Amino acid sequence: MKAQEVSCSSSSPWFAPNPSKRWGELFFLLYTPFWLTLSLGIVVPYKLYESFTELEYLLLGLVSAVPSILIPMVLVGKVDSSICWKDRYWVKASLWIIIFSYVGNYFWTHYFFTVLGASYTFPSWKMNNVPHTTFLLTHVCFLFYHVTSNFTLRRLRHSLADLPMKIQWLTEAAWILALSYFIAYLETLAISNFPYYQFVDRTSMYKVGSLFYAIYFIVSFPMFLRIDEKPGDPWDLPRVAIDALGAAMLVTIILDLWRLFLGPIIPVPDAKQCLQPGLPWLPGHANGT
């Protein structure tokens, strides 16, 4: 595997000083064209989904997500060959994203139903009224987003290292906000040709809904970067899991504050339920499906 032989200087402002982390990030980046081409380069433009049943949608998710775990298990990177599996960066990153994306699908998708007026209309097997396929595709999507964020934040911090700390914080915060919104907007735009993920008002979703979605990444990007980033401070798996759960809880709080105080971005059926106490995935709240 070519990714095994990739060698990057630890002094590069783009790449992690930790060799295992450097290899893991490059692997996830190089893996992205596979699942991206499969979904957005083949299935969507050729409308193969028109003949898909629940099984085909599930297989699409499995074929996209499972190799991201199997490949580094079988084709072990040179820098990881002498490291216990639980200490390899790709394992830690995968665990963090699995937890964060699971919470996002299981819980936060219902905010898309009640606040953004979204709905899934393709045939699928579901958990908590969310298609299994989205759990799987979100995993590889989020790996790509977060690894990309790592590269840019690392480069930005290197460029700002000689500036006052206040300027560093403000600039980094502005970049995280801009990158989060850009990725959220780009994803919404990228799947616009898939007709079975619908919005009541797609224009409002692009402009305002993308900001709502960006909340995920405003929280997660700087937190995910911290995994094995500082030399001499390796993370173990329990710390990774706790950190992911903490990030997920913070996102949940912010999303629910939006639901309660700002409400839906467009009129949706039973939208007044957004103002009710409780949580949108509990009985009594509309799910938009």
Side-chain angles (χ1 to χ4, degrees), residues 47-54 56-57 123:
K47 299 185 178 181
L48 302 183
Y49 53 78
E50 294 292 359
S51 61
F52 279 12
T53 65
E54 291 88 345
E56 284 78 19
Y57 275 110

Side-chain angles (χ1 to χ4, degrees), residues 108-118 212 259 263-266 268-271 273-274 280-281 285-288:
W108 305 337
T109 301
H110 290 267
Y111 289 101
F112 274 63
F113 296 157
T114 59
V115 177
L116 306 183
F212 184 89
R259 177 181 69 88
I265 64 172
I266 36 78
V268 295
D270 299 322
Q273 295 191 35
C274 279
W281 57 83
H285 285 276
N287 60 20

Side-chain angles (χ1 to χ4, degrees), residues 31-48:
Y31 178 74
T32 297
F34 165 71
W35 65 264
L36 201 59
T37 300
L38 176 63
S39 298
L40 297 182
I42 298 175
V43 173
V44 172
Y46 290 100
K47 299 185 178 181
L48 302 183

Side-chain angles (χ1 to χ4, degrees), residues 216-239:
Y216 292 24
F217 308 125
I218 292 171
V219 173
S220 66
F221 283 166
M223 293 189 71
F224 181 78
L225 174 65
R226 293 159 54 243
I227 303 172
D228 286 354
E229 185 68 13
K230 291 183 178 179
D233 183 27
W235 289 37
D236 57 19
L237 294 182
R239 182 180 178 184

Side-chain angles (χ1 to χ4, degrees), residues 57-103:
Y57 275 110
L58 179 62
L59 289 175
L60 174 63
L62 289 171
V63 170
S64 298
V66 172
S68 70
I69 295 175
L70 289 183
I71 291 175
M73 288 177 61
V74 176
L75 301 176
V76 180
K78 185 177 180 180
V79 296
D80 282 342
S81 59
S82 60
I83 302 176
C84 179
W85 67 270
K86 62 183 178 64
D87 295 323
R88 297 169 183 170
Y89 173 77
W90 74 263
V91 175
K92 302 174 188 180
S94 296
L95 175 62
W96 201 100
I97 295 296
I98 286 171
I99 293 172
F100 189 76
S101 63
Y102 174 84
V103 174

Side-chain angles (χ1 to χ4, degrees), residues 239-260:
R239 182 180 178 184
V240 170
I242 292 170
D243 193 78
L245 289 169
M249 188 68 248
L250 181 55
V251 173
T252 304
I253 292 171
I254 298 173
L255 296 183
D256 212 53
L257 289 174
W258 180 308
R259 177 181 69 88
L260 290 174

Side-chain angles (χ1 to χ4, degrees), residues 2-273:
K2 294 295 183 183
Q4 289 179 281
E5 306 303 325
V6 174
S7 177
C8 303
S9 171
S10 61
S11 62
S12 168
W14 294 96
F15 300 109
N18 182 312
S20 180
K21 182 170 186 176
R22 192 159 63 246
W23 187 92
E25 289 180 339
L26 287 172
F27 165 72
F28 292 134
L29 191 65
L30 293 173
Y31 178 74
T32 297
F34 165 71
W35 65 264
L36 201 59
T37 300
L38 176 63
S39 298
L40 297 182
I42 298 175
V43 173
V44 172
Y46 290 100
K47 299 185 178 181
L48 302 183
Y49 53 78
E50 294 292 359
S51 61
F52 279 12
T53 65
E54 291 88 345
L55 178 60
E56 284 78 19
Y57 275 110
L58 179 62
L59 289 175
L60 174 63
L62 289 171
V63 170
S64 298
V66 172
S68 70
I69 295 175
L70 289 183
I71 291 175
M73 288 177 61
V74 176
L75 301 176
V76 180
K78 185 177 180 180
V79 296
D80 282 342
S81 59
S82 60
I83 302 176
C84 179
W85 67 270
K86 62 183 178 64
D87 295 323
R88 297 169 183 170
Y89 173 77
W90 74 263
V91 175
K92 302 174 188 180
S94 296
L95 175 62
W96 201 100
I97 295 296
I98 286 171
I99 293 172
F100 189 76
S101 63
Y102 174 84
V103 174
N105 279 281
Y106 190 91
F107 295 106
W108 305 337
T109 301
H110 290 267
Y111 289 101
F112 274 63
F113 296 157
T114 59
V115 177
L116 306 183
S119 61
Y120 293 111
T121 58
F122 60 88
S124 61
W125 291 311
K126 298 180 180 181
M127 182 191 305
N128 197 26
N129 209 31
V130 180
H132 292 303
T133 303
T134 65
F135 285 85
L136 295 163
L137 291 177
T138 300
H139 177 69
V140 286
C141 281
F142 279 18
L143 277 173
F144 171 55
Y145 299 162
H146 286 77
V147 165
T148 300
S149 171
N150 281 2
F151 287 133
T152 63
L153 284 174
R154 198 176 290 124
R155 183 65 180 87
L156 181 65
R157 289 180 178 182
H158 178 82
S159 300
L160 301 175
D162 296 329
L163 297 178
M165 186 60 64
K166 186 175 181 180
I167 300 299
Q168 293 183 42
W169 275 78
L170 290 174
T171 304
E172 184 171 324
W175 173 248
I176 291 171
L177 176 60
L179 181 63
S180 299
Y181 185 85
F182 173 75
I183 287 179
Y185 186 94
L186 192 64
E187 180 184 317
T188 305
L189 187 64
I191 61 176
S192 61
N193 290 325
F194 180 62
Y196 301 116
Y197 182 40
Q198 301 174 341
F199 297 97
V200 174
D201 185 338
R202 191 168 291 274
T203 301
S204 295
M205 178 60 202
Y206 287 150
K207 296 178 179 178
V208 185
S210 293
L211 179 60
F212 184 89
Y213 184 22
I215 291 171
Y216 292 24
F217 308 125
I218 292 171
V219 173
S220 66
F221 283 166
M223 293 189 71
F224 181 78
L225 174 65
R226 293 159 54 243
I227 303 172
D228 286 354
E229 185 68 13
K230 291 183 178 179
D233 183 27
W235 289 37
D236 57 19
L237 294 182
R239 182 180 178 184
V240 170
I242 292 170
D243 193 78
L245 289 169
M249 188 68 248
L250 181 55
V251 173
T252 304
I253 292 171
I254 298 173
L255 296 183
D256 212 53
L257 289 174
W258 180 308
R259 177 181 69 88
L260 290 174
F261 292 101
L262 298 180
I265 64 172
I266 36 78
V268 295
D270 299 322
K272 291 182 179 179
Q273 295 191 35

